[in-house]
Amino acid sequence: MPDTSDIRPGEVAIELPGAFDAGVYFIGRIRTPFKTRADCPKNTAESRAIGRVELDPRYAAGLQDLALYSHAVLLYWMHQARRDLIEQVPAHLGRPRGTFALRSPVRPNPIALAVVELVGIRATTIDVRNVDCIDGTPLIDIKPYFASTDSVAGAKRP
Amino acid sequence: MPDTSDIRPGEVAIELPGAFDAGVYFIGRIRTPFKTRADCPKNTAESRAIGRVELDPRYAAGLQDLALYSHAVLLYWMHQARRDLIEQVPAHLGRPRGTFALRSPVRPNPIALAVVELVGIRATTIDVRNVDCIDGTPLIDIKPYFASTDSVAGAKRP
């Protein structure tokens, strides 16, 4: 349950709906060198660490042909994050910003995405470069990265 | 429920787990010109269509400062897709490929991602360019696009 004591001044919590609309399966885990949130790099650009995706054997056949791609998108479930903050005050910003303008793990659906380099694929494990999540994070999807649609090199940010 | 009659030769279905591991909230809907799956473009690169994200007013404050970014990632729930195919035979390929090497909506967690250009943001609606999903698709997240981590222009694909 969210602990309201960890809200910073300026942050805004909302009441979430009383029921979920759909369910997700955890299809594996991501093993990384980062044992706590404090250990994690701020984002994948700061991390050249090698992580290992451990896929539940049930889904092993889903990796067929993934090695044809150099990069993939991992979607994972930030299981330690509260879900009810709609405005947050990042330490580097010092003032509130909307949750949908942040990549914080704290969001109504705590799903993160990371673009990773595929280093080695075996039966149910994948070694990847550029991981930033805590060791043991539940995996929910793997997608091939398509530069044609996923890469917008000139996208602007503040 | 999956209709096994729509499996193509060479496709493989698995038994999914008996229970979900986590739940998602639908936080809005995506309005597009595409009323059926047959109407949808194959991917966002083929679509310059303008779509409209309609956010549940509960989450309106989450959009604060999103306009500082030119692009965003939308995560949405492919509510019409079956979830149990682990190898699929795309029409353009003619042979089986693993689900995690495809961007098909059919996957254990039917979450799609699209990188969209932010055209206009109001209180609870966002006009976006490059949408490819069916009208009414449930939205589950909006994230600012960070070229530094999300753009890999040289990523290889077959």
Side-chain angles (χ1 to χ4, degrees), chain B residues 24-84:
Chain B
V24 300
Y25 303 113
F26 294 165
I27 63 170
R29 297 271 166 182
I30 305 176
R31 315 308 312 199
T32 73
F34 315 119
K35 299 302 178 194
T36 70
R37 279 179 68 169
D39 293 339
C40 293
K42 252 191 56 190
N43 58 57
T44 56
E46 294 184 5
S47 169
R48 297 295 292 166
I50 298 280
R52 173 165 291 182
V53 173
E54 295 178 348
L55 189 67
D56 183 323
R58 177 194 302 265
Y59 306 106
L63 297 183
Q64 189 185 316
D65 280 358
L66 183 60
L68 297 173
Y69 296 84
S70 65
H71 290 72
V73 175
L74 303 183
L75 297 183
Y76 44 95
W77 192 265
M78 308 301 284
H79 57 309
Q80 297 192 3
R82 63 186 292 165
R83 300 173 66 163
D84 64 336

Side-chain angles (χ1 to χ4, degrees), chain B residues 96-150:
Chain B
R97 177 162 285 179
T99 288
F100 302 126
L102 294 169
R103 292 289 279 261
S104 161
V106 173
R107 48 210 317 119
N109 295 304
I111 298 168
L113 81 85
V115 177
V116 297
E117 182 187 345
L118 299 169
V119 177
I121 303 177
R122 282 168 303 280
T124 58
T125 63
I126 310 171
D127 288 340
V128 300
R129 208 186 310 271
N130 313 120
V131 291
D132 63 357
C133 63
I134 199 169
D135 184 51
T137 296
L139 178 73
I140 60 174
D141 202 9
I142 305 168
K143 298 180 189 297
Y145 185 87
F146 288 2
S148 56
T149 49
D150 300 327

Side-chain angles (χ1 to χ4, degrees), chain A residues 15 21 23-26 58 64 70 83 87 103 107 109 111 141-145 150-151 156, chain B residues 15 21 23-26 58 64 70 83 87 103 107 109 111 140-145 150-151 156:
Chain A
E15 186 171 355
D21 296 297
V24 300
Y25 303 113
F26 294 165
R58 178 195 300 266
Q64 188 185 317
S70 65
R83 301 173 66 162
E87 292 186 57
R103 291 289 279 260
R107 48 211 315 119
N109 294 305
I111 298 167
D141 202 8
I142 304 167
K143 298 179 188 297
Y145 186 87
D150 299 328
S151 175
K156 291 188 180 55
Chain B
E15 186 171 354
D21 296 296
V24 300
Y25 303 113
F26 294 165
R58 177 194 302 265
Q64 189 185 316
S70 65
R83 300 173 66 163
E87 292 186 57
R103 292 289 279 261
R107 48 210 317 119
N109 295 304
I111 298 168
I140 60 174
D141 202 9
I142 305 168
K143 298 180 189 297
Y145 185 87
D150 300 327
S151 175
K156 292 189 179 55

Side-chain angles (χ1 to χ4, degrees), chain A:
Chain A
M1 285 296 96
D3 173 1
T4 53
S5 68
D6 63 3
I7 295 191
R8 298 176 183 173
E11 294 192 325
V12 176
I14 55 171
E15 186 171 355
L16 291 168
F20 294 122
D21 296 297
V24 300
Y25 303 113
F26 294 165
I27 63 169
R29 297 272 166 183
I30 305 176
R31 314 310 311 201
T32 73
F34 315 118
K35 299 300 178 193
T36 70
R37 278 178 69 170
D39 293 339
C40 293
K42 252 191 55 188
N43 58 57
T44 57
E46 294 185 5
S47 170
R48 297 296 293 165
I50 297 280
R52 174 165 290 182
V53 173
E54 295 178 348
L55 190 67
D56 183 323
R58 178 195 300 266
Y59 306 105
L63 297 183
Q64 188 185 317
D65 280 358
L66 183 60
L68 297 173
Y69 295 85
S70 65
H71 291 72
V73 176
L74 302 182
L75 297 183
Y76 45 96
W77 192 264
M78 308 300 284
H79 58 308
Q80 298 192 3
R82 61 187 292 165
R83 301 173 66 162
D84 63 336
L85 296 188
I86 203 65
E87 292 186 57
Q88 301 173 54
V89 179
H92 69 276
L93 198 63
R95 58 182 181 75
R97 178 163 284 179
T99 288
F100 302 127
L102 294 169
R103 291 289 279 260
S104 162
V106 173
R107 48 211 315 119
N109 294 305
I111 298 167
L113 81 84
V115 177
V116 296
E117 181 187 345
L118 299 169
V119 176
I121 303 177
R122 283 169 302 279
T124 59
T125 62
I126 311 172
D127 287 340
V128 300
R129 206 186 314 269
N130 314 120
V131 291
D132 63 358
C133 62
I134 199 168
D135 185 51
T137 296
L139 178 72
I140 59 174
D141 202 8
I142 304 167
K143 298 179 188 297
Y145 186 87
F146 288 1
S148 55
T149 49
D150 299 328
S151 175
V152 183
K156 291 188 180 55
R157 57 183 290 189

